[in-house]
Amino acid sequence: MQFRSTADAPALVADLAAKGVDYVVMGSLGFSSTTDYLLPAINQFPDKFEQVLRTREPETILFRFLPQYGYTGDWEGGQRSGYGRYLWKSGTRYEGSWVANLREGKGVLYLPSGHKIEGGWKADQKEGQAIVYNPDGSPEEIVIYKSDSIIHVRKYSTSTDGHHPDLQ
């Protein structure tokens, strides 16, 4: 199977995913253009490519293609910007706003435990008020962050009219 010859790394990754590619080969055994097109995609999306074999003579590298991991979303000037999703191999997932490759603005962090943290981000760190939800989806606590450090935690509670007094 031949991959799309493009210097546009997101387009190449999307093409590989659409074709159901499981492995890619880069080096002397493949076409000489594989390094021109595949290497930039591997560098831009390192979590989507896992090296499984490397030979020296001829210089050849086999990668497992894992399209579900890493970043999927909007790009601007070769950087993650706009709305996007990032999935780590640990199972942790972030969905929300990105600016210049960093989480910035509103977003949700989903943890492998089933908990989620919904709040603000600044320069890739949790910032300001966030609500932590239990695996069943019920709000558990309100956390105040400053530069990814917890400043204050309090239990989430609602008033009799169903509104949270701290979020008014």
Side-chain angles (χ1 to χ4, degrees), residues 152-164:
H152 184 73
V153 178
R154 63 185 175 273
K155 285 288 184 195
Y156 187 96
S157 62
T158 54
S159 63
T160 54
D161 65 0
H163 290 80
H164 190 285

Side-chain angles (χ1 to χ4, degrees), residues 1 4 10-22 65 67:
M1 177 181 304
R4 185 175 174 185
L12 175 60
V13 166
D15 184 58
L16 294 172
K19 290 179 177 173
V21 170
D22 293 319
F65 180 55

Side-chain angles (χ1 to χ4, degrees), residues 31-96:
F31 294 99
S32 61
S33 63
T34 58
T35 302
D36 296 340
Y37 301 113
L38 197 51
L39 187 58
I42 292 169
N43 288 338
Q44 189 168 341
F45 297 94
D47 290 332
K48 294 184 184 296
F49 297 90
E50 177 181 65
Q51 183 179 319
V52 292
L53 180 68
R54 183 180 197 137
T55 64
R56 295 284 175 211
E57 292 185 30
E59 178 71 27
T60 303
I61 306 170
L62 176 67
F63 292 93
R64 179 178 292 123
F65 180 55
L66 305 164
Q68 69 273 28
Y69 296 117
Y71 181 77
T72 305
D74 298 332
W75 292 87
E76 186 177 306
Q79 295 186 324
R80 297 180 289 252
S81 284
Y83 182 83
R85 177 182 73 98
Y86 199 104
L87 176 62
W88 287 267
K89 291 178 182 170
S90 67
T92 300
R93 182 178 87 233
Y94 170 81
E95 293 183 13

